[in-house]
Amino acid sequence: MAETEQRFGEFVVVRRHGQDGHVAELVLDRPKAMNAVSTELARSLGAACAALGADRGVRVTVLTSTHARAFCVGADLKERNSLSDAELVRQRPTARAAYTGVLELPMPTVAAVHGFALGGGFELALACDLIVADATAVVGLPEVSVGVIPGGGGTQLLPRRVGAARAAELVFTARRVAAAEAAALGLVDQLVDEGADRDEALALAGRIAAHSPVGLRAAKRALRLGHGLDLRAGLEVEDAAWRSVAFSGDRAEGVAAFNEKRKPQWPGE
């Protein structure tokens, strides 16, 4: 299939790539505000993630930005400043659903980061399984500098990436981290040349999408659910995930293709 595009509200686009559309691109498209997460953007992002999560044809999702100098600068503080306390309370579930929507996508996810990825913007990247960043990337969780805390998963996702002490230092100092240091600290997974983040992330997604969609989703489930458990409990999570794929059509096709020395044609079930 040719590349197709579906818009969710004004600020979020989903594109399908490749002959079979197995790679989805989830695009933040609010360039006039550097993709600041307004109520409307959050609502649209949640809706787009719900649609992607229900689409069994999507094997990998890549989160990208249309802004030349920013991935996402986090919460829309101009909007926040206009909200009453009661309005902020009502807005919270919508904002939270955007971050958990990305986090809970069942297929592997890759963030393509360039420029500023700060606060909620970095939290959206952290919600993905892998982060590809270009040389212009600047990441950080500066929320304590404006009197709040990372509330899009940052206090939980960052220590899972870099450890408790490193996460505490980054959150407490609110400092911004440039690309080279971000790669050295493990804040991002792959550092690429300026302007290459989207292409490299899509290429990575294409390599992942060549594999069994049933296997990919089960592997992600085991990785996510098993993290933080003791070894015995983690191995039970792994065994449950194995049982969900061991008798699948994908497993039968994968074994047959290996023995017949051909490329598998995954049924996806």
Side-chain angles (χ1 to χ4, degrees), residues 9-249:
E10 186 178 355
F11 302 130
V12 176
V13 177
V14 171
R15 299 187 184 121
R16 298 286 290 272
H17 292 271
Q19 183 177 356
D20 299 310
H22 293 319
V23 173
E25 183 180 4
L26 179 57
V27 187
L28 304 176
D29 186 31
R30 194 188 178 202
K32 291 183 179 179
M34 289 188 167
N35 293 325
V37 183
S38 63
T39 303
E40 176 57 29
L41 190 151
R43 184 178 294 114
S44 298
L45 188 56
C49 288
L52 284 169
D55 190 337
R56 299 291 299 184
V58 178
R59 298 182 184 176
V60 188
T61 295
V62 180
L63 182 61
T64 69
S65 159
T66 60
H67 195 283
R69 294 187 295 107
F71 173 73
C72 173
V73 293
D76 186 339
L77 296 184
K78 290 184 179 179
E79 180 189 65
R80 290 282 179 89
N81 193 50
S82 71
L83 298 178
S84 67
D85 289 352
E87 288 170 333
L88 184 59
V89 169
R90 287 195 296 271
Q91 191 245 19
R92 174 62 175 167
T94 301
R96 192 173 179 190
Y99 297 102
T100 57
V102 175
L103 182 65
E104 294 177 358
L105 283 170
M107 73 292 292
T109 52
V110 183
V113 173
H114 60 265
F116 297 114
L118 301 172
F122 189 37
E123 287 174 306
L124 288 173
L126 289 171
C128 294
D129 299 300
L130 298 167
I131 303 174
V132 176
D134 85 351
T136 70
V138 178
V139 305
L141 296 176
E143 283 87 347
V144 297
S145 70
V146 293
V148 291
I149 69 165
T155 66
Q156 305 306 302
L157 295 171
L158 188 59
R160 284 168 166 77
R161 262 191 170 267
V162 299
R166 177 67 67 193
E169 183 263 321
L170 292 167
V171 170
F172 296 161
T173 64
R175 71 184 180 95
R176 300 179 177 189
V177 182
E181 185 186 4
L185 295 178
L187 297 173
V188 304
D189 302 300
Q190 184 177 347
L191 188 60
V192 299
D193 292 338
E194 180 176 345
D197 55 294
R198 178 176 178 270
D199 287 346
E200 290 290 342
L202 287 170
L204 174 59
R207 294 193 295 274
I208 295 170
H211 302 301
S212 159
V214 171
L216 289 171
R217 290 181 180 226
K220 175 167 179 169
R221 191 163 64 249
L223 286 163
R224 288 285 181 90
L225 294 178
H227 189 95
L229 299 179
D230 65 68
L231 181 58
R232 187 180 297 273
L235 289 173
E236 291 302 317
V237 168
E238 182 181 82
D239 187 64
W242 178 86
R243 290 175 185 277
S244 75
V245 301
F247 310 104
S248 67

